[in-house]
Amino acid sequence: MANKINKLFAEQPKDKKYLSLYFCAGCPTLEGTGDVILTMQHRGIDFIEVGIPFSDPLADGPVIQSAATQALKNGMTLSKLFAQLKAIKDDVQIPLILMGYLNPILHYGIEEFCKSCVESGVSGMIIPDLPFDDYQNIVKPIADRFDLRVIMLITPETSEERIRFIDQNTDGFIYMVSSAAITGAQQSFDDAKQAYFRRINAMHLRNPRMIGFGISNRQTLQSAQQNAAGAIIGSKFVTLLNDTNGDADEALNRLFEALNS
């Protein structure tokens, strides 16, 4: 069976614009993971990034850091997360991608992690602090064996040579970070970011690209969708999920309202 990420991008019309949401597993409630995922699927979200809480999330802004802290306080662990995902596996049709830092994954064991991903219906992973050499030499051979996609990030600082190298050596999609800063909502993308989007567009990469970091309103969403296959929203949705005490349906109502205004 083809990987769900590849399938998603291959089977839709070329001009389809995707929307992916991130949330941190175990926040605001320990047991809410399955409900949040199934609600998002029901509401038409194309694929979901499930955050693995970690005590030192370097690339994340205060919103996601705080969510991770809360999730750990609530007792979320990688084993618990896999058990929750396994419980809903048969009901989930859209791709699930685990997003987390290298430390908890190494602690769990890379081979064991990939095996658990398959057993719980996960299609890929994003590991922001995974060095590219380690990806190629250690992680990729194992992930390939389990038909999992390891999604790599690029930023405005990533050289063209490096971007082409990532494009040739990865599969699924490329996560295009809108800025070199940490995660967090922004009102608009400035000229420098727009120029970066255009520059990457002009490279005609093999993989589809999704733009993330800073998308929270109609302006930033449209800008991301005009310059890539779609947008990834994290901090804004995490905030709304907290504000509604884990009511994913209400959080999505508020998100769609914000994205349309």
Side-chain angles (χ1 to χ4, degrees), residues 36-55:
V36 173
I37 289 169
L38 294 174
T39 304
M40 282 201 233
Q41 174 175 271
H42 176 67
R43 296 292 297 273
I45 301 305
D46 295 300
F47 62 94
I48 300 169
E49 287 177 23
V50 183
I52 303 166
F54 179 51
S55 53

Side-chain angles (χ1 to χ4, degrees), residues 25-31 33 53 67-81 84:
C27 177
T29 66
L30 178 62
E31 301 300 340
T33 309
T69 302
Q70 186 57 53
L72 291 171
K73 268 190 197 150
N74 288 347
M76 180 51 82
T77 63
L78 205 37
S79 301
K80 229 167 234 171
L81 173 55
Q84 291 179 351

Side-chain angles (χ1 to χ4, degrees), residues 119-144:
E119 287 169 354
S120 54
V122 170
S123 300
M125 63 198 85
I126 299 169
I127 310 170
D129 58 342
L130 173 64
F132 201 84
D133 288 350
D134 290 350
Y135 156 71
Q136 278 209 289
N137 299 323
I138 302 165
V139 179
K140 187 178 189 295
I142 300 171
D144 283 353

Side-chain angles (χ1 to χ4, degrees), residues 75-116:
M76 180 51 82
T77 63
L78 205 37
S79 301
K80 229 167 234 171
L81 173 55
F82 280 128
Q84 291 179 351
L85 295 177
K86 211 169 181 178
I88 59 166
K89 181 185 176 184
D90 294 344
D91 300 317
V92 180
Q93 273 80 52
I94 62 176
L96 297 181
I97 297 168
L98 288 186
M99 183 162 188
Y101 291 85
L102 192 53
N103 195 306
I105 295 169
L106 287 177
H107 190 71
Y108 194 86
I110 293 168
E111 176 110 17
E112 196 55 37
F113 178 81
C114 289
K115 186 168 169 273
S116 295

